[in-house]
Each structure stands twice: as C-alpha cells, then as structure tokens.
Amino acid sequence: QVQLQESGPGLVKPSQTLSLTCTVSGGSITSSFYAWNWIRQPPGKGLEWMGLIAYDGITYYRPSLKSRTSISRNTSKNQFSLQLNSVTPEDTAVYYCAGTGRRVLASSRVNDYEYWGQGTQVTVSP
C-alpha cells in the first residue's frame, strides 16, 4: 500500500522560503505514468493545486505560483520536495502531497488522486 508523509517546518517567516518534503513508501516515485503533486488548502478556502513532478522528472506549476515554486525529487530516498519562495501570510495553509496515475493535470478534486499524505499545517508569521 502506497503511503505519503509530509515533513517540514510548521512556521515560516514572511519573505523566507517554505520547504516541505514528501516521503513515499510502498511504491516508487519513478513508476511509469505516476505524478506526484503538491496541493494546499488555505483556512476557509478550497483545495489549490500547486504543481507536480512526474515519474520522468518533468514538472508543471500553477501559473500564478510558478515564479515562486520549485518541485524536485530524490529518487534514492523516494522523496519529492516543494520550495515556495518569498512567502507571505497568504501562503498559510495545510499543505498536502498527493499521487496519481490518472491522466489529470492541475486538478483540485480529491477523487482525482489515489494517494494522499495526512497534510501538514504551515503558518507564515513573523
């Protein structure tokens, strides 16, 4: 059974970089046609897709976040990571990592993803 687990700081200061890592177990992030996503949910709002790294290392980003976002991977550790630069309090959210083998892109629908991490709260505050 594939399991995902987010890790990283829960508090980030404004203008700094938010860094999170998702560790995948029970499956490989290089499995063909799978994509590994970062999705967040600000307080009181819906899910927002941020970006993905595909099984072959190709990345896609939400256009509004592209200039501040970087997703990378470490295949030896079966992990993928998110970096979000120049954060503001508006970046406060629960951040999720999610995986899917379905042909979806930029989806914020829960059922489009096969695997979810439990989510981690990140607060941006001085």
Side-chain angles (χ1 to χ4, degrees):
Q1 181 179 356
V2 177
Q3 294 184 322
L4 282 65
Q5 177 66 60
E6 305 91 349
S7 59
L11 180 64
V12 183
K13 288 181 167 47
S15 81
Q16 293 188 343
T17 296
L18 181 161
S19 297
L20 296 173
T21 294
C22 183
T23 300
V24 180
S25 59
S28 173
I29 62 172
T30 60
S31 294
S32 292
F33 310 117
Y34 268 77
W36 305 96
N37 298 256
W38 286 100
I39 298 165
R40 68 182 181 179
Q41 185 168 28
K45 297 184 179 180
L47 293 172
E48 178 182 70
W49 178 82
M50 300 181 68
L52 68 83
I53 186 163
Y55 68 99
D56 55 1
I58 293 176
T59 54
Y60 295 92
Y61 300 107
R62 186 180 190 88
S64 61
L65 296 174
K66 186 175 182 179
S67 65
R68 299 196 291 132
T69 307
S70 178
I71 298 175
S72 59
R73 66 180 183 174
N74 184 326
T75 56
S76 65
K77 294 184 177 180
N78 215 35
Q79 297 174 330
F80 63 105
S81 298
L82 170 73
Q83 285 198 322
L84 182 65
N85 302 322
S86 304
V87 297
T88 72
E90 285 67 41
D91 293 310
T92 294
V94 178
Y95 285 75
Y96 298 93
C97 55
T100 186
R102 299 169 184 152
R103 292 183 178 266
V104 296
L105 179 63
S107 173
S108 297
R109 297 188 299 183
V110 172
N111 290 342
D112 281 342
Y113 299 91
E114 298 173 60
Y115 312 111
W116 287 84
Q118 65 183 24
T120 187
Q121 172 71 46
V122 178
T123 300
V124 179
S125 180

